[in-house]
Amino acid sequence: MKPFLLLASRAEDGAADLEYRSYLKYCGLAPEQLRRVRLEAAPLPEIDLADYSGVIVGGSPFTSSDPQVSKTATQLRVEAELAGLLDRIVAEDFPFLGACYGVGTLGKHQGAVIDRTYGEAVGGIEIKLTAEGVRDPILDGMPESFLAFTGHKEAVTVLPSHAVLLASSATCPVHMFRVKRNLYATQFHPELDVEGLINRVDAYRHAGYFPPEQAEELMAAARKVAVTEPMRVLNNFARLYASN
């Protein structure tokens, strides 16, 4: 089969490597079936979509709705490269799944209003599928309500009319949406299990998601939450779009 492409942008090696292992595990892929490109480390190489089964964008410390003048040169480069790639992905309706940062990339590209109105604290939160979500093949086998790990500064405030809302929470109205038939973005993290969240909390305790002194409390709380369902999104994506 053609490999999938994971576009990552975490500068912390430990967090980046655990994220990659999580995508391998929950997509059900071998290392040769998931090529990783770390966008924060170097410019995006030339990508021929015909070489891949699909594209996945992992989470990121970047906040797309921040003022341009406050963004680093690396963030501005990554945003420009992803926007250019999305021009082609959207035009072809090429299989795409953006996790958390997918909202800031696909959402922004498609004209969504993205700001800090519906940011959510780090931890487990109840996600509910919409009627469209229940019917969507990427959510096959998912219960209508499930727990997922989240932690984000920004979110979609207004979804464009051509996008399909698939999931929401009580504190964030847009947790997952689809554009065309094959383009998906989630606000929750489908790759995060307890180990992954604890690693993220430790890695980003000074990144502004929470007061640094709360890190140990957040990690203790994560150990009490059973998050088992969101990973089906990754397995479904890989199963549906694997191609030769």
Side-chain angles (χ1 to χ4, degrees):
M1 59 168 276
K2 295 179 182 179
F4 287 84
L5 176 64
L6 173 63
L7 299 177
S9 55
R10 300 187 184 280
E12 302 79 12
D13 288 340
D17 289 345
L18 183 55
E19 178 183 63
Y20 178 60
R21 292 196 298 272
S22 295
Y23 277 106
L24 288 174
K25 177 180 179 180
Y26 293 119
C27 286
L29 299 173
E32 65 272 15
Q33 296 172 324
L34 183 63
R35 179 191 174 197
R36 177 176 61 163
V37 173
R38 292 183 62 174
L39 298 174
E40 89 292 344
L44 180 69
E46 184 64 33
I47 300 295
D48 185 346
L49 295 177
D51 292 336
Y52 296 97
S53 290
V55 174
I56 300 170
V57 170
S60 175
F62 299 147
T63 304
S64 65
S65 61
D66 281 349
Q68 293 294 96
V69 295
S70 70
K71 295 177 180 178
T72 65
T74 298
Q75 181 174 350
L76 291 172
R77 173 182 58 77
V78 170
E79 288 181 354
E81 290 172 345
L82 285 174
L85 182 60
L86 277 168
D87 286 343
R88 296 158 51 202
I89 286 173
V90 173
E92 296 183 25
D93 196 13
F94 188 79
F96 175 88
L97 176 62
C100 194
Y101 192 43
V103 165
T105 52
L106 181 62
K108 184 176 180 180
H109 186 273
Q110 291 297 292
V113 176
I114 298 172
D115 56 31
R116 294 187 178 228
T117 303
Y118 295 111
E120 291 176 306
V122 173
I125 194 163
E126 184 182 21
I127 308 295
K128 293 186 177 181
L129 301 184
T130 65
E132 290 286 351
V134 171
R135 291 191 291 267
D136 196 286
I138 203 75
L139 291 160
D140 182 51
M142 297 281 288
E144 291 188 30
S145 177
F146 59 92
L147 289 178
F149 284 129
T150 123
H152 53 101
K153 301 174 185 177
E154 64 181 2
V156 173
T157 299
V158 180
L159 196 63
S161 60
H162 64 276
V164 179
L165 179 64
L166 301 177
S168 304
S169 76
T171 48
C172 181
V174 180
H175 252 287
M176 186 172 184
F177 65 89
R178 186 187 75 240
V179 173
K180 295 188 172 181
R181 286 191 61 186
N182 302 311
L183 313 172
Y184 294 91
T186 71
Q187 187 65 77
F188 63 87
H189 283 275
E191 85 287 2
L192 271 188
D193 53 19
V194 172
E195 178 190 5
L197 184 66
I198 290 172
N199 177 275
R200 297 271 176 87
V201 169
D202 189 43
Y204 294 107
R205 65 174 67 210
H206 298 290
Y209 292 97
F210 51 85
E213 63 272 14
Q214 288 186 4
E216 300 304 323
E217 179 184 343
L218 290 170
M219 288 190 279
R223 294 185 179 97
K224 300 176 182 178
V225 179
V227 171
T228 59
E229 298 302 318
M231 299 78 172
R232 293 179 187 268
V233 173
L234 299 181
N235 188 265
N236 286 339
F237 183 78
R239 176 178 54 81
L240 288 168
Y241 294 114
S243 58
N244 295 318

